[in-house]
Amino acid sequence: MARVLRCSRRQKICCGVTAIVIILLVVTLVVLFLTVFKPKEPIIIIQPVKLERLDFVASPDLKLELNVTLGVVATVKNRNHGSFTYQDSTATVSYRGSLVGEAPINGDTVPDHGELNVSTSLAVQADELLKNGNFLNDYFNKGVLNFTSANTLQGKVKILKIIRKKATSLSTCYISVFVKTNTINSTCQNKLVF
């Protein structure tokens, strides 16, 4: 004769409590990963650009020499419960649509809920600047040189060494160099793409 196994009342209660605990644990983990541990975009703020050097000299053989160096500082703020690592990059400077300077940005890691200042100097290539037909008018008559600086930082956010999400930050700065006062005015825009 076949014997029918019956669960005791204690075993049913134990199984029910275990199932409820497992369901609560799964729901809690899902909520944590969708809220607290969800990868957030790092905030990248381009600080106002500084004019480090502006020299315009006419040599005895009437050759014009121009030296312009712009100092760029970007603050990377990590809002995640994990580190944000970005790769080596290059910042560029354009004058009226022509590339006139580049500067390397070394890759680094920003710790969780930390921030890091990334700085570089952009030396403007004088020969490229002088080739532009508008340069002399902008320099001598208007007294202002308008540049555009662009930078792209590509990186990854790592949370609990399990979750990794790629992100790309695009930053553009519009820079006006006022020749007579050797001052600078800049406004920057940032955009993050996952």
Side-chain angles (χ1 to χ4, degrees):
M1 291 211 176
R3 227 176 177 192
V4 177
L5 293 175
R6 294 186 182 218
C7 293
S8 69
R9 182 172 181 165
R10 284 185 180 172
Q11 289 174 329
K12 288 180 182 178
I13 291 173
C14 184
C15 288
V17 170
T18 303
I20 290 172
V21 168
I22 290 173
I23 290 170
L24 287 175
L25 184 62
V26 168
V27 168
T28 302
L29 288 175
V30 168
V31 168
L32 282 174
F33 279 107
L34 292 177
T35 57
V36 176
F37 295 122
K38 178 181 179 185
K40 299 174 185 81
E41 54 196 48
I43 298 171
I44 300 174
I45 302 167
I46 303 295
Q47 305 298 335
V49 177
K50 295 179 184 175
L51 180 63
E52 293 181 352
R53 182 177 176 189
L54 174 63
D55 299 323
F56 191 70
V57 181
S59 62
D61 60 351
L62 298 177
K63 184 178 179 184
L64 298 175
E65 294 181 14
L66 176 70
N67 296 311
V68 179
T69 305
L70 304 174
V72 179
V73 177
T75 301
V76 182
K77 293 184 178 183
N78 185 5
R79 304 182 306 147
N80 293 290
H81 290 281
S83 62
F84 172 64
T85 302
Y86 61 91
Q87 303 168 358
D88 291 346
S89 182
T90 302
T92 61
V93 175
S94 300
Y95 173 72
R96 292 191 174 254
S98 300
L99 181 67
V100 295
E102 293 182 328
I105 296 175
N106 296 325
D108 209 341
T109 299
V110 185
D112 63 331
H113 291 290
E115 67 180 57
L116 178 71
N117 284 332
V118 180
S119 60
T120 190
S121 292
L122 291 161
V124 176
Q125 298 168 358
D127 55 342
E128 292 298 319
L129 196 57
L130 293 171
K131 285 179 188 176
N132 191 301
N134 297 303
F135 172 73
L136 293 176
N137 184 45
D138 289 347
Y139 188 89
F140 290 110
N141 294 335
K142 294 181 180 177
V144 64
L145 301 174
N146 293 311
F147 295 95
T148 303
S149 174
N151 179 18
T152 301
L153 287 180
Q154 295 182 341
K156 289 182 183 177
V157 176
K158 291 183 189 175
I159 299 175
L160 300 175
K161 297 183 181 180
I162 301 171
I163 302 172
R164 294 178 186 190
K165 188 158 186 173
K166 291 183 181 181
T168 301
S169 170
L170 308 169
S171 302
T172 305
C173 290
Y174 302 97
I175 306 159
S176 297
V177 177
F178 299 98
V179 176
K180 293 178 183 173
T181 59
N182 274 358
T183 57
I184 199 163
N185 184 20
S186 65
T187 57
C188 299
Q189 299 172 348
N190 302 305
K191 181 181 179 183
L192 195 74
V193 180
F194 280 107

